[in-house]
Amino acid sequence: MMNPSKIDEDGVQYSIGKFDGKNVVYDFPKILVYLGAKGRILFGKDFKIIEKDHEIIFKLCNYFIRDKEKCAQNDIDPDKGILLTGPVGCGKTSLMRLLKHLVPLQRPYRVIPARNIVFGFNHIGYKTIEDYGDGQFFCFDDLGVEPIGRHYGKDCNVMGEVLLSRYELFLKTKIKTHATTNLKAKELEDMYGNRVRSRMRQLFNLVAFDKNANDKRK
């Protein structure tokens, strides 16, 4: 039987808690050790998790491991997706790419830049919106800074339409959608309109980095 409290990476086994045969009792300091190691595998030897980010990582870990009690304390609904916000370079995309590895038995999501979806629309049109409204799991990266789509001379707010499709999918199937953005709520509303913004509130838990979070790319 697979032990979900142990994860193997490059020949090394990492413990992220204790498994009693039914449930894992997770250990956050051990999770941080694992995430640091996996981050170096994914992003290079200079990757490190800084102490300032522990609080937000703790919230996100509780969400991904579905610790309902701790999620409730942080006003997070484990059945909704995550909208991770924060300034440019604070590490949103890296965290969303990293944290899906914490629960290897859960169905993984693909991290897709929002602008790539718009480029796809520009080439093949509305089928792109249909494709992203299907039963796959996605994290839309850099939401809100993508250009307006244009296909055969017609403009389309592609990601606004995709989010409406994902909302309909969520209502029917509870399939979640995640996203990252540098924008504030008002800026997202300006970009997508009030209707999409209200759907986003139902689709996502808002988890925010501090507005003064460091740009880790410098």
Side-chain angles (χ1 to χ4, degrees):
M1 182 182 178
M2 186 176 175
N3 183 342
S5 71
K6 311 273 189 217
I7 303 178
D8 293 312
E9 296 288 354
D10 279 4
V12 179
Q13 187 173 78
Y14 295 91
S15 169
I16 56 173
K18 288 183 179 164
F19 183 52
D20 64 8
K22 286 187 178 177
N23 300 299
V24 179
V25 179
Y26 288 92
D27 182 319
F28 187 58
K30 287 182 177 176
I31 285 175
L32 286 175
V33 171
Y34 166 69
L35 291 176
K38 183 65 176 177
R40 286 187 288 279
I41 292 168
L42 290 174
F43 311 120
K45 62 181 177 17
D46 294 331
F47 176 85
K48 57 180 180 289
I49 290 171
I50 64 171
E51 196 170 335
K52 271 186 182 175
D53 291 344
H54 284 190
E55 184 181 347
I56 199 163
I57 293 170
F58 185 60
K59 277 187 197 174
L60 290 167
C61 285
N62 288 327
Y63 168 83
F64 280 105
I65 65 177
R66 294 185 67 84
D67 186 323
K68 292 188 175 177
E69 188 179 322
K70 290 196 176 74
C71 281
Q73 288 168 9
N74 287 294
D75 199 25
I76 289 173
D77 179 347
D79 293 323
K80 288 161 61 168
I82 291 288
L83 177 62
L84 187 57
T85 74
V88 171
C90 67
K92 301 180 295 295
T93 306
S94 298
L95 266 188
M96 291 306 288
R97 286 180 60 197
L98 179 59
L99 283 164
K100 66 179 181 174
H101 297 283
L102 184 59
V103 277
L105 296 180
Q106 285 183 22
R107 190 173 163 192
Y109 51 84
R110 288 169 59 206
V111 179
I112 309 273
R115 63 192 175 88
N116 288 13
I117 298 172
V118 176
F119 296 153
F121 173 87
N122 293 346
H123 285 290
I124 62 171
Y126 287 88
K127 185 178 183 300
T128 303
I129 293 167
E130 289 170 26
D131 289 347
Y132 285 98
D134 69 10
Q136 295 183 67
F137 285 47
F138 293 109
C139 174
F140 300 128
D141 192 33
D142 258 350
L143 192 65
V145 295
E146 73 280 354
I148 288 290
R150 192 167 180 82
H151 185 67
Y152 282 115
K154 286 188 177 175
D155 286 353
C156 177
N157 191 327
V158 176
M159 289 311 300
E161 293 298 323
V162 167
L163 289 169
L164 290 173
S165 296
R166 297 300 294 182
Y167 171 73
E168 295 297 329
L169 184 71
F170 176 67
L171 289 185
K172 287 179 200 158
T173 64
K174 294 299 175 194
I175 284 177
K176 290 185 278 195
T177 303
H178 306 302
T180 72
T181 185
N182 306 328
L183 303 187
K184 299 179 177 68
K186 179 68 175 72
E187 293 170 313
L188 286 168
E189 190 166 316
D190 290 345
M191 177 80 185
Y192 298 121
N194 187 46
R195 180 168 167 244
V196 174
R197 177 71 188 123
S198 72
R199 301 293 189 269
M200 288 175 74
R201 289 190 191 97
Q202 293 163 276
L203 262 181
F204 296 121
N205 295 285
L206 180 63
V207 179
F209 274 90
D210 186 279
K211 65 180 187 298
N212 299 315
N214 294 344
D215 186 342
K216 297 177 180 71
R217 297 179 297 192
K218 288 180 180 175

